[in-house]
Amino acid sequence: MGGDPLSCIKNNMLNLNAFSPVYCDTVRDHYGAENTRGRREQLLTKMTFFERFERDILSGAKTITLRDEAESHVTAGQVLPVSTFETDRWFCDIQILEVSPIALSDLNQAHAEQENMTLAQLRLVIAEIYPGLEQLFMIRFRVLNPVGESDTGAF
């Protein structure tokens, strides 16, 4: 994609059901809101979670996710559809509130509470998903419309 911003925006709008990062300066989320980054990056157009986290996300008990660098390309204000990792089943949309780097060694009880688990459980989950990784990104989000409430018609 590259130079033509219009094709970049159109591709972002058309590829909502596939995990296909978009490479451009300006993208529109699936609600049409414009998101601009200062540098060119691939912005995610979708986020997936393991099914075991769905209930916590929908209830509001899980309000952050910890991701590696490759999965950190989102920006505050961006709205993303969320699906299960295992079956790609959509279950809500989220709005990104904050993205910040964090070292594994800096995780504390407050992060664990935002993940709805103990600190020991959080460290085990991170080690299982990202073995040997020290640098993570904390993505804080809020649920916009859970299952059965999508007004986009795309899911």
Side-chain angles (χ1 to χ4, degrees), residues 14 40 52 106:
L14 296 174
R40 293 172 64 88
R52 66 185 184 219
D106 290 336

Side-chain angles (χ1 to χ4, degrees), residues 138-150:
M138 183 197 70
I139 301 172
R140 194 165 53 92
F141 61 87
R142 71 181 181 104
V143 173
L144 294 180
N145 53 346
V147 174
E149 297 181 25
S150 176

Side-chain angles (χ1 to χ4, degrees), residues 30-132:
H30 73 277
Y31 288 110
E34 186 175 285
N35 293 295
T36 305
R37 288 256 176 148
R39 61 186 194 279
R40 293 172 64 88
E41 293 181 332
Q42 291 183 340
L43 289 177
L44 299 181
T45 59
K46 174 181 180 176
M47 190 165 284
T48 61
F49 288 89
F50 291 113
E51 288 175 345
R52 66 185 184 219
F53 299 126
E54 180 178 356
R55 184 174 295 144
D56 287 346
I57 292 167
L58 292 175
S59 72
K62 179 177 171 63
T63 59
I64 67 168
T65 183
L66 298 168
R67 302 292 172 121
D68 66 3
E69 197 275 334
E71 294 182 289
S72 71
H73 299 292
V74 295
T75 186
Q78 186 177 3
V79 175
L80 296 168
V82 176
S83 300
T84 59
F85 175 78
E86 295 86 348
T87 63
D88 198 36
R89 177 183 47 80
W90 175 86
F91 65 90
C92 73
D93 294 335
I94 59 171
Q95 181 178 32
I96 305 302
L97 302 175
E98 174 188 4
V99 181
S100 55
I102 187 163
L104 178 65
S105 56
D106 290 336
L107 292 178
N108 60 39
Q109 188 58 39
H111 297 110
E113 289 169 11
Q114 293 173 84
E115 287 271 10
N116 197 34
M117 56 184 78
T118 67
L119 185 56
Q121 289 171 321
L122 178 58
R123 290 183 185 278
L124 277 171
V125 167
I126 295 300
E128 173 188 311
I129 297 171
Y130 303 117

Side-chain angles (χ1 to χ4, degrees), residues 5-18:
L6 197 54
S7 71
C8 191
I9 292 167
K10 280 172 44 180
N11 274 324
N12 190 36
M13 296 289 289
L14 296 174
N15 289 321
L16 293 174
N17 292 322

